Amino acid sequence: MADYKELYLKLFRASEEAINLLIAAQQACEELYISQPEVELKVLPLPSETRTTEMRHDFKSMPARLAKENEPS
């Protein structure tokens, strides 16, 4: 008959070793990341956001344009 306690302990030890290996790898990667010089990032608008902003600007100025167009000459 199988010794279930021994099977369980063997699996538990292997799981614990795997977790510790993953933790060590994560810590090593974190150390590498924080030791690198900081990179300056620039956020660029998406083309669709640019069009939306332009459309908002056109929409805001529309009443003034319509008033000018409809002024008696």
Side-chain angles (χ1 to χ4, degrees):
M1 183 168 199
D3 184 0
Y4 289 105
K5 182 177 180 181
E6 184 57 37
L7 294 174
Y8 171 81
L9 292 175
K10 185 176 182 99
L11 183 60
F12 183 82
R13 287 185 204 108
S15 298
E16 189 173 14
E17 286 176 23
I19 291 169
N20 288 334
L21 180 65
L22 290 171
I23 290 171
Q26 180 179 356
Q27 289 172 339
C29 289
E30 289 170 351
E31 287 297 324
L32 282 171
Y33 178 79
I34 62 174
S35 68
Q36 298 295 315
E38 199 165 317
V39 177
E40 186 175 332
L41 300 176
K42 181 177 180 182
V43 178
L44 300 175
L46 295 172
S48 62
E49 290 176 354
T50 304
R51 283 196 302 268
T52 304
T53 304
E54 290 169 359
M55 289 172 56
R56 282 190 198 129
H57 178 70
D58 289 345
F59 184 73
K60 286 180 182 177
S61 63
M62 191 180 293
R65 271 190 307 184
L66 288 174
K68 267 188 179 176
E69 291 172 5
N70 293 324
E71 283 178 356
S73 301

